[in-house]
Amino acid sequence: MRRADRLFQIIQLLKNRRLTTASLLAEVLEVSTRTIYRDIQDLIANGIPVEGEAGVGYLLRREVDVPPLMFNESELEAIQVGMRMVEAWGGSELASAAKQAMIKISAVLPERLQTFNSLMFAPKFHAKSNEFQHLDLLRKAATDRQYLQMDYEDAKQAQTSREVRPLAIHLWRGCWTLLTWCELRNDFRNFRIDRIILISLTPRFFPVVDGEELNDFIKEMQRKYG
């Protein structure tokens, strides 16, 4: 998390509590208490009216204006459910980002929505242990347009090694799937992420190629199943 984002979140957390300890802030923001002490001192030095002391707690002595987010209950529920799904199934990096984003949103909600809590959840205790292990690397590769070297086992337990261009990741019939342009087949191929045996980034990056991009795959599917 960027330091600026952490300072913002400290303000929002203090804004909605009477007295908050450094240890609680550290737990919520997943940093050390020493980091929180430094952040508090920096906030005070920059004119934010934080009062208190180490070992006792901190509070905002006067209001720091942040405009409330104008959501209705249905909109807020959609956000909560989406964040929970990302936190459960989006890989470690996006899970952390979703958690922090929800803290920011909750901190600036109008009072009438402060206690709203959707009863739709996304538990991940049923998932296979290897189902999400590659998601962070695959997201990075697709974003950076970086070739991947992959060992894969198909539904018949046949294993292949191939180089692919990662184009997108999608959830299909309950499974995360990697859409690629496969250099071995010279065509689009989808791979279930839980069947990837080994995967690594190569030092090579791929250019935009007409007919071999995500939009081309979408157009092809629309023509077929339209």
Side-chain angles (χ1 to χ4, degrees):
M1 181 197 308
R2 295 185 310 167
R3 184 169 179 275
D5 291 338
R6 189 174 66 247
L7 294 175
F8 174 84
Q9 291 190 36
I10 289 173
I11 292 173
Q12 305 315 309
L13 290 167
L14 293 178
K15 178 175 178 286
N16 290 280
R17 299 174 183 270
R18 291 187 176 180
L19 190 68
T20 306
T21 63
S23 60
L24 178 58
L25 292 171
E27 179 181 352
V28 171
L29 298 176
E30 298 180 342
V31 296
S32 67
T33 54
R34 180 173 296 181
T35 296
I36 295 297
Y37 292 143
R38 287 198 301 265
D39 289 344
I40 292 291
Q41 291 305 312
D42 287 343
L43 288 172
I44 294 171
N46 284 280
I48 303 300
V50 179
E51 296 187 10
E53 59 182 291
V56 178
Y58 300 97
L59 53 79
L60 284 176
R61 184 56 70 182
R62 65 176 185 272
E63 187 73 9
V64 177
D65 291 330
V66 178
L69 296 178
M70 302 307 293
F71 295 125
N72 60 36
E73 287 192 358
S74 295
E75 292 168 339
L76 179 58
E77 182 165 20
I79 292 170
Q80 287 183 348
V81 173
M83 294 292 188
R84 289 170 181 175
M85 292 177 68
V86 171
E87 192 171 349
W89 302 330
S92 59
E93 290 183 4
L94 283 186
S96 178
K99 181 178 179 180
Q100 299 305 325
M102 202 63 226
I103 291 173
K104 290 181 180 180
I105 292 170
S106 299
V108 294
L109 287 172
E111 185 176 353
R112 65 182 181 83
L113 292 177
Q114 285 288 337
T115 59
F116 179 82
N117 187 38
S118 172
L119 296 179
M120 292 184 67
F121 297 91
K124 64 176 181 180
F125 50 77
H126 66 285
K128 298 176 184 177
S129 60
N130 65 334
E131 192 166 359
F132 311 118
Q133 63 176 327
H134 300 302
L135 280 178
D136 292 339
L137 182 147
L138 295 177
R139 283 194 311 106
K140 181 182 187 309
T143 300
D144 295 344
R145 299 181 66 86
Q146 191 167 2
Y147 277 103
L148 292 170
Q149 187 66 40
M150 180 174 67
D151 294 341
Y152 186 77
E153 182 177 271
D154 66 18
K156 297 180 180 179
Q157 297 185 321
Q159 296 185 9
T160 57
S161 294
R162 59 186 78 201
E163 187 175 69
V164 298
R165 304 178 210 162
L167 300 176
I169 303 167
H170 54 95
L171 191 63
W172 176 250
R173 294 182 177 178
C175 294
W176 280 116
T177 304
L178 175 67
L179 169 66
T180 73
W181 180 266
C182 178
E183 300 292 345
L184 179 65
R185 303 302 182 193
N186 196 35
D187 201 354
F188 294 110
R189 286 292 186 272
N190 285 287
F191 300 97
R192 278 182 46 165
I193 292 176
D194 61 344
R195 291 179 180 162
I196 295 175
I197 301 169
L198 185 66
I199 196 163
S200 61
L201 294 170
T202 76
R204 299 170 52 235
F205 297 84
F206 55 93
V208 174
V209 180
D210 289 341
E212 301 175 5
E213 298 295 322
L214 173 60
N215 287 338
D216 300 308
F217 176 79
I218 293 173
K219 290 176 184 177
E220 183 178 315
M221 292 300 101
Q222 288 173 339
R223 285 194 300 269
K224 286 184 177 179
Y225 306 108

